[in-house]
Structures are given as C-alpha cells and as structure tokens.
Amino acid sequence: MQFSEALPLLTGKMPAYAHEIRDLPGGRSQWAYVPWREILEFIESVCPGEWQISFTDPLFIASDDKEYCCIRCTLTICGVARQAPGSAPAVLLSNDGKDMSRGDPIERAASDAVRSAAEMFGIGKYLHQQRDLQWQRLLFDWIRKGKAKHAERARNGGSSQQSA
C-alpha cells in the first residue's frame, strides 16, 4: 500500500471500542483516549505488515526535585517515518503518597511516545475536539455504544448479526 492511500484511512476515526474514557486529575472531568496498543492494532489493520516502530534507550532526567523518564519513538508507516518524544515521571504519587503509576516509567514514557508519534501522522487527531464539551458528550456516547456492540458481538462468537 502506498502512504498516500493509507493516510486518509489512518486519519479517520478508530473503532469506538478501541477508546477509553478516564478521569482527569481532580476528578471533575473526563477525557477520551486510545491506548497505545490499540493504536498499533489500528495501524496494523490499515497497513498490515507495512509499519515499524523503534525506540531510543530511555534517559532519566531530574528537574525541579522530580525525575522523569524520557524516550523517543520512531514510527514508520508505508516507508514514511515520524519521530516523537515521550516522558513520564519516574515516580507517580498521589497527594497522600500512594503510588499511582501503571507500569514502570519506561513503559509509560514509551506509550506516551507512541501516541505522540502516531499523532504526527494525524492518527487520533479528532480527539482534540473534545475540548468542546458538547462534542465530547457525543464522543462518549459513541464510544459507549460501540463498546456495547463490540461486547455483544464477542458474546455471540463474533457474529455480525445483531440481536433484537
């Protein structure tokens, strides 16, 4: 597949079931995102076997009494490469001192870098529109309905027939 053929497919919406909705710090609002593994599955579905990913070695940097893990991702799709950095706090603690991290700092920085590199191609760019709260509500409804349909299909053994 040529990159010019893949790009319009890559910049469209990813499947609703691939999205997640998370609470933002402070607990007053939410944000939809696509986990990095789902992004890579999406790229594979559009360009089977025609993409590669690589990372630099992680670098730990201290800043303002905190330490961060930084890593750079190179994502190549149909022969076109984009690079982007990713970072994550080495330690992620809540206000009361509890560890809030999921995975180690290298994994978190790598996932950040994958999402950023994918965005350099325009993948998931539509998610920035959720700053408009009305658009965000529509997005959340679409995600929830898509997840429900996907779960129903899975329960029915992957059948494309919908139950009444």
Side-chain angles (χ1 to χ4, degrees):
M1 173 179 281
Q2 297 292 319
F3 181 74
S4 60
E5 298 170 301
L7 190 58
L9 301 172
L10 292 168
T11 57
K13 276 190 181 173
M14 287 178 259
Y17 63 82
H19 296 72
E20 297 292 336
I21 299 171
R22 68 175 173 181
D23 293 329
L24 294 176
R28 294 184 183 180
S29 59
Q30 295 180 309
W31 193 261
Y33 72 101
V34 179
W36 69 274
R37 287 183 178 93
E38 293 287 348
I39 292 170
L40 296 181
E41 285 183 28
F42 174 69
I43 294 169
E44 176 65 18
S45 73
V46 173
C47 311
E50 296 190 48
W51 64 278
Q52 296 175 354
I53 193 165
S54 63
F55 299 93
T56 60
D57 288 335
L59 178 65
F60 286 84
I61 299 171
S63 173
D64 298 331
D65 297 328
K66 292 185 180 182
E67 186 177 29
Y68 295 89
C69 177
C70 302
I71 198 165
R72 182 170 291 278
C73 172
T74 301
L75 178 60
T76 305
I77 302 174
C78 298
V80 177
R82 298 285 187 265
Q83 284 190 347
S87 65
V91 177
L92 191 59
L93 300 176
S94 67
N95 290 338
D96 59 357
K98 291 183 182 176
D99 184 7
M100 296 178 23
S101 58
R102 293 183 180 157
D104 67 44
I106 296 171
E107 291 170 341
R108 294 192 317 272
S111 68
D112 184 48
V114 169
R115 283 191 295 273
S116 295
E119 194 172 295
M120 298 292 287
F121 286 101
I123 298 170
K125 186 177 178 181
Y126 60 90
L127 292 169
H128 292 287
Q129 295 176 48
Q130 63 186 304
R131 287 185 175 97
D132 175 334
L133 295 180
Q134 183 176 359
W135 191 92
Q136 186 187 55
R137 281 192 293 277
L138 294 172
L139 175 68
F140 286 5
D141 288 344
W142 174 76
I143 291 169
R144 290 182 181 114
K145 288 176 185 174
K147 283 184 170 291
K149 285 181 185 178
H150 186 69
E152 180 67 25
R153 280 191 207 111
R155 281 192 297 273
N156 292 332
S159 171
S160 61
Q161 294 180 336
Q162 293 186 11
S163 58

